[in-house]
Amino acid sequence: MIKHLRIFIFFLAALFFVLEEGLCEENLSPKELTIRAWEAWGAKDYDKTFFWTKRCIELYSQDAERQQASLKELPSTDRIDEFEALNSVGTCFFIMGEAYISLGKVEDAKSSFKIAIEKFGYAQSWDPRGWFWSVKEKSEASLEKLEEKPKVAEEKPRVIKPKTRLILYDPGKEEIVDYKRYGRFEGIGTKYYKYKISDQGGLSSAVGEGIYPNTSSVVWDPNFQKAKKEGRLEGNHWDFIYTDDLEANFYKWTQAPEPPGVKLFYTAFLLERAGLIKHAIKAYYAVVVHFPTAVGWTYWHTPWYVGQVAIERIEFLLRKYPELRMKLEDAEIKVLNGYDNSISNDEFIVNPGRLRGVGRFEYFKDKFGLKKKKMRNLLEVRGEGRIRLARFDDGAWELRVDERPFLIKAVAYSPSKVGQSPDEGTLEDWMLADYNRNGKIDGPYDAWVDKNRNNIQDPDEPNVGDFQLLKEMGANAIRVYHHGSNKALLRDLYKDYGIF
């Protein structure tokens, strides 16, 4: 009787699992099925991993094969959504391969990777850090690791990029572009904002190379031709952001296969890195004028509003380099419904403002604080207890702790042991990590400073701990990325180090 009861309970549990998964999968898109497969694999739940991957493959493999057959090369990222079935099915075969590796089923893993390579070679998968990667390339890399004798001849040699200085061939005719001369602003301060160019040639001459609409003239730059001939522009554009080859970084991004707003923002950022601050400001402001509704994506695949960040970069640079004697006035981009992960419901209220020069008298007034400050009145104080918010009649808010203004000086804190990876589901909780078993959490209390940078803890390099180092650097808060699993640790952070 008990045996039959156990069998019946097991049958009910299995039936519940099947029904639950069946209900969940109803009307799920290939992308949603793939996300569930990633989540299951990250949680090391291999039964669910195979359930979601196989379901995606069953439902969408025919669409994926048609999309694969329609392509002759990897599609650009601005067309990526047109190939959702292909990207999802190819990714699911890759996930299956990785899951089989974890289970020690090497031949099954090889089979999955080979299907991804041979049948869905143009599939691309989203990396939460902000870009797409080739499923074929990743599958080839995983397959090579499984081979008994890796092909050494196929290994790519390490490329050491030279240090270069960027000198613009065409810096443009205007340091501060008068956009009204070359077009017309419409709908300023509304969701119908547009800038319509009437004199594209004049505007191209004014902005200079690399800045929209003058993006094609870079190919006539002799240094561009030289960099191309030397092979310094080969590779993925995302690998051309923090290298010392400042020339190649700039040239590569002016030709990058990204949406124009994203491409122009990174072009501006690379001009900034190259020390060409005026040209960088011009490029950032071109983002605001032409592409205020441009959207990129963060590590967590949440929207990143490029125009808003471009305004912040301009304001930062103008504060850092007051000797440029420039001012950005009234520029603002509001994103209504921008606090969710969907961009389909976003509405942009755009005012590009005005970038202008600052006269000598105004410059010295600002520099020496001669400007008369307007008095502001306190309207209300919200909250109870030690931490409260004050609102003023000029629209400003102020955070207060114990009735005093509190300026947050913080870092985002989430240390990890070398080799642990959120991509592979191996990242452990730093609030509980005590690998040397001394009763102290490693990062906060056992971290030490490698003064001579020899990667060895010498006798004169005692354990200091990150909490003490944070206190010494003047931090008064940290940002954590998950709820406090060790409340005692966080209480100690505040009690002994004064850090929220």
Side-chain angles (χ1 to χ4, degrees):
M1 177 70 180
I2 293 174
K3 180 180 178 183
H4 289 305
L5 181 61
R6 284 177 179 164
I7 292 171
F8 180 67
I9 291 171
F10 175 78
F11 171 75
L12 284 177
L15 179 62
F16 176 76
F17 173 78
V18 171
L19 286 173
E20 179 190 35
E21 301 297 1
L23 289 171
C24 288
E25 73 179 61
E26 188 177 351
N27 297 323
L28 288 180
S29 69
K31 187 184 291 185
E32 289 168 330
L33 289 167
T34 307
I35 289 171
R36 295 191 180 208
W38 276 123
E39 290 171 347
W41 180 67
K44 300 180 181 179
D45 186 338
Y46 299 117
D47 287 336
K48 283 194 175 183
T49 300
F50 291 123
F51 176 86
W52 293 118
T53 52
K54 288 178 180 178
R55 192 60 182 147
C56 182
I57 291 165
E58 287 171 6
L59 291 173
Y60 298 106
S61 60
Q62 288 186 354
D63 292 339
E65 288 173 8
R66 280 196 294 270
Q67 291 175 4
Q68 169 76 15
S70 71
L71 292 167
K72 293 184 179 179
E73 60 182 10
L74 284 173
S76 60
T77 52
D78 58 339
R79 296 184 60 210
I80 207 79
D81 290 336
E82 298 175 25
F83 304 96
E84 184 177 337
L86 170 61
N87 295 331
S88 299
V89 171
T91 301
C92 280
F93 274 109
F94 174 79
I95 295 171
M96 285 177 69
E98 293 294 320
Y100 280 130
I101 289 176
S102 300
L103 295 172
K105 299 182 177 182
V106 175
E107 292 306 315
D108 288 330
K110 288 181 180 179
S111 176
S112 295
F113 290 135
K114 285 177 181 177
I115 292 173
I117 294 165
E118 295 168 6
K119 293 189 67 175
F120 306 104
Y122 293 133
Q124 297 180 84
S125 187
W126 173 255
D127 189 303
R129 283 160 288 201
W131 56 83
F132 287 92
W133 46 266
S134 165
V135 173
K136 179 181 178 180
E137 288 182 8
K138 290 283 188 181
S139 297
E140 287 173 338
S142 294
L143 192 59
E144 187 173 321
K145 288 178 185 177
L146 295 174
E147 301 291 345
E148 291 183 3
K149 295 180 180 180
K151 298 177 182 178
V152 179
E154 291 182 3
E155 292 181 1
K156 295 180 180 179
R158 186 184 171 198
V159 178
I160 299 175
K161 296 189 176 182
K163 289 186 177 181
T164 62
R165 181 181 167 214
L166 177 61
I167 299 174
L168 293 174
Y169 181 68
D170 174 18
K173 294 181 178 178
E174 299 179 19
E175 285 189 350
I176 299 177
V177 178
D178 182 2
Y179 278 94
K180 288 184 178 179
R181 290 179 58 188
Y182 309 107
R184 185 173 73 256
F185 290 97
E186 295 181 356
I188 290 176
T190 73
K191 64 181 180 181
Y192 303 108
Y193 167 82
K194 279 183 184 177
Y195 176 70
K196 292 187 175 180
I197 301 173
S198 57
D199 180 4
Q200 184 160 326
L203 182 57
S204 295
S205 297
V207 295
E209 67 179 303
I211 300 178
Y212 186 86
N214 190 357
T215 52
S216 59
S217 69
V218 170
V219 299
W220 305 112
D221 185 332
N223 288 329
F224 171 87
Q225 296 294 338
K226 180 183 175 186
K228 188 176 181 182
K229 188 175 181 181
E230 293 172 347
R232 286 160 46 212
L233 302 184
E234 294 177 4
N236 189 296
H237 52 284
W238 289 108
D239 297 328
F240 285 75
I241 294 179
Y242 292 105
T243 81
D244 291 329
D245 192 346
L246 301 176
E247 272 189 347
N249 295 343
F250 170 71
Y251 295 139
K252 185 71 175 180
W253 266 93
T254 61
Q255 310 300 306
E258 293 291 336
V262 175
K263 178 168 73 173
L264 185 53
F265 178 88
Y266 278 100
T267 300
F269 179 71
L270 294 169
L271 286 164
E272 181 185 335
R273 279 201 68 230
L276 301 178
I277 306 302
K278 288 183 178 179
H279 210 62
I281 290 172
K282 252 201 292 191
Y284 282 130
Y285 191 60
V287 173
V288 179
V289 171
H290 298 289
F291 309 110
T293 63
V295 178
W297 298 93
T298 69
Y299 182 101
W300 295 273
H301 203 37
T302 54
W304 170 64
Y305 297 108
V306 182
Q308 290 181 329
V309 185
I311 291 175
E312 290 170 6
R313 293 308 301 172
I314 295 170
E315 291 174 341
F316 165 74
L317 291 173
L318 295 182
R319 285 196 305 272
K320 187 176 181 180
Y321 301 101
E323 64 274 15
L324 295 178
R325 291 165 60 172
M326 294 182 186
K327 184 170 283 189
L328 180 62
E329 294 179 329
D330 301 324
E332 185 179 31
I333 299 172
K334 293 180 182 177
V335 185
L336 307 182
N337 307 315
Y339 290 98
D340 57 24
N341 292 349
S342 172
I343 61 173
S344 61
N345 61 349
D346 291 344
E347 288 188 357
F348 293 79
I349 309 299
V350 179
N351 183 350
R354 179 184 170 217
L355 186 64
R356 67 174 179 84
V358 172
R360 186 175 298 178
F361 179 70
E362 185 180 0
Y363 167 71
F364 282 106
K365 248 194 347 181
D366 289 346
K367 184 175 182 179
F368 296 107
L370 301 176
K371 219 172 185 179
K372 191 175 180 181
K373 291 184 179 178
K374 288 177 72 175
M375 294 293 293
R376 64 180 187 177
N377 299 309
L378 178 65
L379 294 182
E380 63 172 322
V381 178
R382 294 187 186 179
E384 297 178 358
R386 297 181 58 206
I387 302 172
R388 307 175 79 184
L389 281 173
R391 183 168 72 93
F392 295 88
D393 61 355
D394 62 354
W397 289 81
E398 182 178 82
L399 179 66
R400 293 181 173 182
V401 177
D402 295 329
E403 300 301 325
R404 299 179 64 183
F406 186 84
L407 176 65
I408 295 175
K409 294 178 283 185
V411 300
Y413 187 75
S414 183
S416 64
K417 188 177 180 180
V418 173
Q420 293 184 357
S421 167
D423 298 327
E424 298 178 3
T426 58
L427 187 64
E428 297 182 13
D429 188 346
W430 68 268
M431 292 190 194
L432 304 174
D434 179 18
Y435 296 106
N436 58 7
R437 301 182 182 279
N438 67 350
K440 297 179 181 179
I441 304 303
D442 293 336
Y445 303 118
D446 287 340
W448 49 276
V449 179
D450 188 11
K451 296 176 185 175
N452 57 7
R453 303 192 178 189
N454 65 349
N455 292 321
I456 299 172
Q457 187 174 9
D458 298 311
D460 63 339
E461 296 172 345
N463 293 349
V464 181
D466 287 341
F467 285 179
Q468 179 61 32
L469 294 173
L470 285 164
K471 181 180 178 180
E472 290 175 9
M473 70 184 281
N476 60 15
I478 64 169
R479 177 187 177 183
V480 295
Y481 290 92
H482 63 283
H483 295 294
S485 51
N486 189 340
K487 299 287 178 66
L489 177 73
L490 297 179
R491 291 191 191 100
D492 187 42
L493 172 69
Y494 176 70
K495 179 174 172 285
D496 293 345
Y497 302 93
I499 297 174
F500 285 84

